[in-house]
Amino acid sequence: MWHKVTGVLVLLVVGMVVFALGETTVTIWTDLVEPKRVVIQEELAADFMALHPDIKVEVVTVLESEMPTRIAAAYAAGALPDLVRLSLEYVVGWVEEGILDAEAASALIEKMGVGTFGAGPLESVKVGSGYAALPTDGWGQLLLYRKDLFEEYSLAVPDNWADILQAAVVLHDPPNMYGIEVATDPNQVYMQQVFEHFALSNGARLVDEAGNIDLTTPEFIAALRFYKLLATQFTPRGNIYWMHTRLDYLGGKTAMTVWSPYILDELAGLRDSAPVTAEFPEGTPVLYERTGIVSSFAGPAGAPAQGGAVLYLGISVDADTEAAQAYAEYLLSDGYAKWLSMAPEGMFPMRPGYINVWKELEFGVDRKGKISDLYPAEVINAIATGVENIDRWGIASGRSACVSAIYATRTVIDVLRRYIDGEIDSATEAAQMMQDRVRYLSGCEDK
Amino acid sequence: MRIWGERGTLQDQEQRLAYLFLLVPVTIVFLVIIFPTVWNLWLSFHKLSLRDLRTSAPLSLNFTTYSYLKVFGDLDFTSSLIATLTYSIGGTLITLLLGLGTALLLSPKFRGRGAMRGLFLIPYIAPVVAVTFTWRLLLDPRGPIMTALVNVGWLKQPLHLLGQRPLAMTTLILFQGWRYFPLAFLFIMARLQAIPRTLYEAADVDGATPFQKFFYVTLPQLKLILATLGLLRFMWTFNRFDDVYLLTSGAAGTKVLPVLVVDYLIGQFDVGAGAAAAMVLFGCLTVLLIIYFRLIMRRAEQMEV
């Protein structure tokens, strides 16, 4: 009997060793959860596995809003995925929390050539002498405006606060046309993104010169006032978020709104789930031809600023480093064109060498079209320059742990909403409340 | 009793067996209740970030009250506590009232009573993610309900029921009532059916009106079950996280304590403060339950006897 047991045990051990030697699994958590995008990611994994039979790739989808929660739980359980797609505001914070392996990422970036990546996106995630994660794609936030109406009323291009306000006043005619729609739903990160864009445009940064959080500057208070003005005078009531602003812009009900370039395919009528419903006389230009785009705008006290997002691929501390690096490298080189093809309008390449490939990609969901065929060169340039100039709170000043806490707790926009609703009387008071609350968050303490 | 290992008498053996059997529930209780609570208490006296969880820092003997100071000093703490209390008391009362009402409505015999009772259970058994999503769409200021109300002319401006104080909290409480009244309904109905007919017959003989019958016969009989349900609902609502988070994410004055716990843990990666906030929640609940037992349960029990 005993030798039978021993035999089985030996078999088991041998089996496990063979299994362990034969196959490594790379798990990647991705926030690109739309079915068609998942199919492309599965294909990328299959293509990679065909080239590397010893590595198995598993694609796991996680909603963007759940990513921090799931990562924190996985970290505590010691079961992090090998690779994770995450946005800029989390990257450095996650290195500080010991979730991401900056050395593995830096080594891969060195190997692929530091110069082959866009300088801005790398600079934003610099930690020590290396980089926290690999930039994969990004988008710059756009201010969409109705070029036709602007021409009709001879309004200036809305690239500064005064012209934005002027146009909103002239074109505001509810409920047929709202002057400008901004985000007002404090449950959505979108509101933080849009407001931050306005704050940055007036030179309101999160931190002061000493590196401490400072939200009480005159520039910031002016941004609060201006945002409240837009939200109360020209935006429909309610918890407005990206769904409403898109619906209204595509329906021709708002003269201006702030959105990511992801709207460009819907705008061109390539997606049936978000159709263009604005109607114009037969034979005249359609909505996307009547749309103008501004990628950065400026407030009275600031230089033109660009909001937006950069997405990264992080290698976790639990990763099988070599296999994870191999797959990350594949996604950013041989598989890169296919990766970007998931949604070219919102996924601008982070490796400049691929910009020409990107221009030839087709976008759209239900119908396909080439981005360079549908939109004029100035729109393409707006997307390209937008991504390069993206500015974000706190990132360059090393306060990204604080930024990730602000995003996750939505403290700033919660107070902002109360100010918009008139519960807080003055902008100064609102700014002080934000200041007190933000400084109280772990990670935002004075240096 | 003899020394372990010796066989001893049959009685000794049985006793030992009994302890052995007892070991199973004791282990389970220890693993799923005592250990997590003590561990949480332990963590709450440390200053820990997520990163420290993988080191030996949680085991250190350097205790600190940092986490509790952080929780009590939080500018949102008082409003959070008030929100939790409002939500729990309001939610419990409305659940009980709705449950009592429907139980009374559905206790007389009529055609289709069984089907009605089944229908009434739907809110309770439907998946929470699905119902919160549906309600959010329905209650959106530009959703069907508000559009209809504005079109009919009952409202000038659409209301944002989930986005503005104090409407958001009211909506949450109403949602709580809608979602959990079936539980109260089931309990109360079971008790209603056990009330002896003779009591009502006697009341009829005395010429009692329907209202008198309700207040002097039915209600006293239901007191204990109402008190018990109130206790359960209060406990569950006090700790409720998913409904609130899914409907409002804690915005517009609905940041209840459980949402604060998650804010510390996930938003700020402050494990110590998260644990401390959870302990505060636990402490508040314990105090409130003691008061509840003293004031209400004891009286209800006396009535029943």
Side-chain angles (χ1 to χ4, degrees):
Chain A
M1 149 121 199
W2 282 113
H3 53 264
K4 267 191 198 163
V5 174
T6 328
V8 170
L9 279 177
V10 167
L11 266 179
L12 266 176
V13 170
V14 170
M16 277 159 69
V17 170
V18 169
F19 185 73
L21 286 176
E23 212 169 53
T24 323
T25 305
V26 173
T27 309
I28 174 167
W29 281 11
T30 168
D31 60 343
L32 295 159
V33 297
E34 293 82 354
K36 288 190 179 167
R37 295 181 192 162
V38 175
V39 170
I40 293 177
Q41 292 173 83
E42 299 275 2
E43 284 171 9
L44 278 166
D47 293 349
F48 177 77
M49 285 189 279
L51 293 170
H52 303 262
D54 52 330
I55 302 177
K56 189 170 173 287
V57 177
E58 221 175 297
V59 178
V60 177
T61 57
V62 178
L63 282 178
E64 187 193 353
S65 53
E66 284 172 13
M67 196 65 98
T69 322
R70 296 277 303 272
I71 285 289
Y75 178 85
L80 285 169
D82 300 76
L83 290 170
V84 54
R85 192 177 126 97
L86 71 168
S87 57
L88 174 60
E89 62 265 24
Y90 297 117
V91 177
V92 177
W94 286 10
V95 169
E96 284 164 10
E97 285 301 332
I99 295 167
L100 297 181
D101 183 351
E103 267 175 43
S106 309
L108 181 54
I109 290 171
E110 299 269 327
K111 186 186 160 208
M112 294 170 73
V114 176
T116 66
F117 287 90
L122 276 188
E123 202 56 35
S124 306
V125 294
K126 208 163 175 10
V127 281
S129 56
Y131 305 101
L134 299 106
T136 59
D137 48 85
W139 50 265
Q141 199 151 257
L142 307 175
L143 176 82
L144 304 171
Y145 69 97
R146 287 286 297 278
K147 211 165 50 181
D148 54 340
L149 297 175
F150 272 65
E151 277 163 17
E152 195 182 326
Y153 292 88
S154 2
L155 295 161
V157 170
D159 58 3
N160 61 73
W161 286 12
D163 288 332
I164 291 174
L165 187 61
Q166 169 71 17
V169 170
V170 171
L171 299 174
H172 190 56
D173 175 26
N176 303 317
M177 180 66 76
Y178 290 94
I180 180 170
E181 284 193 18
V182 293
T184 54
D185 185 352
N187 299 335
Q188 300 271 347
V189 168
Y190 176 59
M191 183 172 174
Q192 173 79 33
Q193 285 168 345
V194 177
F195 172 65
E196 199 177 302
H197 196 164
F198 277 95
L200 283 168
S201 72
N202 203 34
R205 317 202 59 82
L206 181 66
V207 290
D208 64 13
E209 272 157 25
N212 294 327
I213 307 303
D214 188 3
L215 293 177
T216 53
T217 59
E219 293 84 14
F220 185 79
I221 291 169
L224 286 177
R225 286 204 187 100
F226 189 63
Y227 200 83
K228 176 174 177 170
L229 183 69
L230 300 183
T232 50
Q233 300 301 312
F234 308 109
T235 300
R237 281 166 63 91
N239 282 7
I240 301 297
Y241 67 101
W242 52 265
M243 191 177 74
H244 304 97
T245 53
R246 183 176 68 184
L247 195 72
D248 284 349
Y249 193 80
L250 296 182
K253 281 190 170 300
T254 178
M256 288 178 274
T257 195
V258 179
W259 235 84
S260 76
Y262 275 100
I263 199 175
L264 293 177
D265 58 337
E266 288 100 303
L267 190 57
L270 304 178
R271 185 168 177 181
D272 290 340
S273 61
V276 175
T277 51
E279 282 177 9
F280 301 102
E282 197 81 30
T284 62
V286 291
L287 186 62
Y288 80 89
E289 293 160 324
R290 292 166 181 262
T291 297
I293 285 173
V294 166
S295 64
S296 57
F297 52 84
Q306 170 74 50
V310 183
L311 281 301
Y312 291 80
L313 207 52
I315 302 173
S316 86
V317 290
D318 291 345
D320 183 322
T321 311
E322 275 174 31
Q325 283 173 330
Y327 190 54
E329 183 177 0
Y330 174 77
L331 289 179
L332 287 167
S333 53
D334 297 342
Y336 201 32
K338 190 161 188 170
W339 172 268
L340 298 170
S341 76
M342 275 188 273
E345 74 280 10
M347 298 174 86
F348 189 80
M350 291 290 116
R351 305 189 72 191
Y354 285 82
I355 292 179
N356 285 327
V357 180
W358 172 80
K359 280 185 184 163
E360 296 304 311
L361 291 171
E362 292 202 317
F363 70 144
V365 177
D366 298 290
R367 278 164 298 283
K368 295 279 179 188
K370 219 191 273 179
I371 196 158
S372 48
D373 289 347
L374 284 163
Y375 286 99
E378 68 237 40
V379 171
I380 311 249
N381 287 339
I383 299 177
T385 51
V387 176
E388 270 161 34
N389 299 325
I390 287 174
D391 195 1
R392 293 290 292 272
W393 273 2
I395 302 291
S397 40
R399 297 310 301 256
S400 52
C402 179
V403 175
S404 86
I406 290 175
Y407 267 77
T409 56
R410 295 180 295 271
T411 313
V412 169
I413 51 176
D414 196 36
V415 178
L416 174 60
R417 175 56 187 267
R418 289 166 66 186
Y419 169 59
I420 290 174
D421 284 344
E423 283 175 37
I424 302 164
D425 294 329
S426 72
T428 322
E429 211 178 309
Q432 190 59 48
M433 276 181 80
M434 288 178 187
Q435 169 80 353
D436 293 343
R437 279 172 171 69
V438 166
R439 286 222 339 220
Y440 202 72
L441 299 174
S442 300
C444 301
E445 300 91 349
D446 282 353
K447 278 193 168 165
Chain B
M1 196 154 133
R2 283 164 186 250
I3 307 160
W4 291 86
E6 281 184 51
R7 278 251 159 115
T9 62
L10 195 61
Q11 201 192 352
D12 285 348
Q13 287 182 32
E14 275 184 357
Q15 243 176 22
R16 248 176 281 156
L17 195 64
Y19 280 114
L20 211 64
F21 283 157
L22 206 58
L23 206 63
V24 177
V26 167
T27 317
I28 293 174
V29 166
F30 179 79
L31 283 180
V32 304
I33 297 174
I34 298 173
F35 174 70
T37 313
V38 173
W39 180 235
N40 194 55
L41 186 67
W42 177 274
L43 288 181
S44 70
F45 282 102
H46 287 75
K47 185 178 192 300
L48 292 172
S49 78
L50 193 65
R51 174 179 205 120
D52 301 323
L53 283 188
R54 286 209 185 172
T55 64
S56 60
L59 299 173
S60 89
L61 293 173
N62 284 333
F63 297 108
T64 159
T65 52
Y66 155 83
S67 302
Y68 286 94
L69 292 179
K70 175 154 175 106
V71 174
F72 288 121
D74 196 310
L75 293 163
D76 288 327
F77 177 74
T78 322
S79 61
S80 218
L81 187 64
I82 294 170
T84 314
L85 283 173
T86 319
Y87 181 53
S88 314
I89 295 173
T92 307
L93 286 179
I94 194 154
T95 314
L96 288 187
L97 281 176
L98 280 176
L100 182 62
T102 40
L104 289 172
L105 270 179
L106 292 189
S107 67
K109 275 211 170 91
F110 60 88
R111 270 173 75 103
R113 185 174 69 165
M116 284 294 279
R117 285 180 181 174
L119 270 181
F120 274 44
L121 291 182
I122 287 177
Y124 191 59
I125 52 179
V128 61
V129 177
V131 292
T132 47
F133 184 71
T134 315
W135 275 115
R136 274 179 59 167
L137 284 184
L138 286 175
L139 298 177
D140 189 279
R142 296 213 248 164
I145 296 179
M146 283 304 146
T147 312
L149 288 177
V150 172
N151 287 345
V152 172
W154 289 0
L155 285 179
K156 269 196 187 147
Q157 289 270 17
L159 301 169
H160 3 149
L161 290 175
L162 288 170
Q164 203 176 24
R165 298 158 202 248
L167 286 175
M169 180 51 85
T170 319
T171 314
L172 275 188
I173 290 173
L174 291 175
F175 176 83
Q176 176 81 0
W178 172 80
R179 185 158 145 75
Y180 298 99
F181 86 87
L183 178 89
F185 157 70
L186 277 183
F187 274 59
I188 295 170
M189 178 128 82
R191 185 68 190 90
L192 267 182
Q193 284 169 341
I195 300 177
R197 295 284 99 198
T198 49
L199 290 178
Y200 290 102
E201 285 159 15
D204 279 336
V205 171
D206 289 339
T209 63
F211 276 103
Q212 284 173 326
K213 273 194 269 186
F214 174 73
F215 282 108
Y216 295 104
V217 182
T218 315
L219 212 50
Q221 292 282 331
L222 292 180
K223 275 218 166 110
L224 187 61
I225 194 75
L226 285 177
T228 315
L229 268 174
L231 177 76
L232 287 177
R233 286 296 344 146
F234 186 82
M235 268 162 50
W236 291 339
T237 316
F238 205 81
N239 288 324
R240 194 95 233 155
F241 166 74
D242 47 2
D243 296 353
V244 183
Y245 201 75
L246 289 169
L247 283 172
T248 68
S249 320
T254 59
K255 191 177 259 185
V256 291
L257 286 173
V259 173
L260 203 61
V261 176
V262 174
D263 261 6
Y264 288 136
L265 193 61
I266 307 295
Q268 307 176 38
F269 291 141
D270 194 330
V271 179
M279 287 320 291
V280 171
L281 191 67
F282 179 64
C284 292
L285 191 56
T286 313
V287 171
L288 289 167
L289 288 185
I290 290 172
I291 298 173
Y292 189 89
F293 265 102
R294 289 260 158 96
L295 287 181
I296 296 178
M297 282 307 272
R298 206 171 274 176
R299 240 190 264 171
E301 273 169 41
Q302 280 163 358
M303 289 253 193
E304 189 82 354
V305 182

